Amino acid sequence: MVSNSDPLLQGPFYLVNLTGITVGGQEVESTGFSARAIVDSGTVITSLVPSVYNAVRAEFMSQLAEYPQAPGFSILDTCFNMTGLKEVQVPSLTLVFDGGAEVEVDSGGVLYFVSSDSSQVCLAVASLKSEDETSIIGNYQQKNLRVVFDTSASQVGFAQETCGYI
């Protein structure tokens, strides 16, 4: 359960304190983790403030350095050419919240498949334009998670759940 010292619900938004991210088990360093993030099932792709995104992107690029880069796609700028590959080791992506709660993003929510033959994939996370914007945890990264909002206790819970039957 992720607890907030500030109200969980502000207007139409559910806010959490995102305090860190790990990529492939490697903690990402950034000063931008002090800001709050919106948990939004209506937004597809997670968007992070530039300082956090750039740190996540750099670590992701480092861990996938063996794969050739590909052109960006829409708002996604960290893309790879996987032509001819049968298997790729995708680094894990874990969100860390206030109080130490950790949520590992389902492997299906880490990469976005641009082409139907999987030859081009992109990191399914984008950068916001400004540090003053609020990061958003989108539904692509909420795949196979049950998200429970306890507004009276100002908590949100995340539980792994196979949702493939839906």
Side-chain angles (χ1 to χ4, degrees), residues 5 10 17 24 44 51 88 104-105 114 133 138 149-151 162:
S5 53
Q10 289 186 357
N17 295 321
V44 178
S51 62
V88 175
E104 184 169 342
V105 172
V114 174
E133 294 181 86
F149 300 98
D150 182 349
T151 56
T162 303

Side-chain angles (χ1 to χ4, degrees), residues 135-148:
S135 292
I136 301 169
I137 301 168
N139 65 39
Y140 204 78
Q141 286 65 45
Q142 295 175 46
K143 286 181 179 183
N144 290 319
L145 287 176
R146 179 176 295 269
V147 183
V148 179

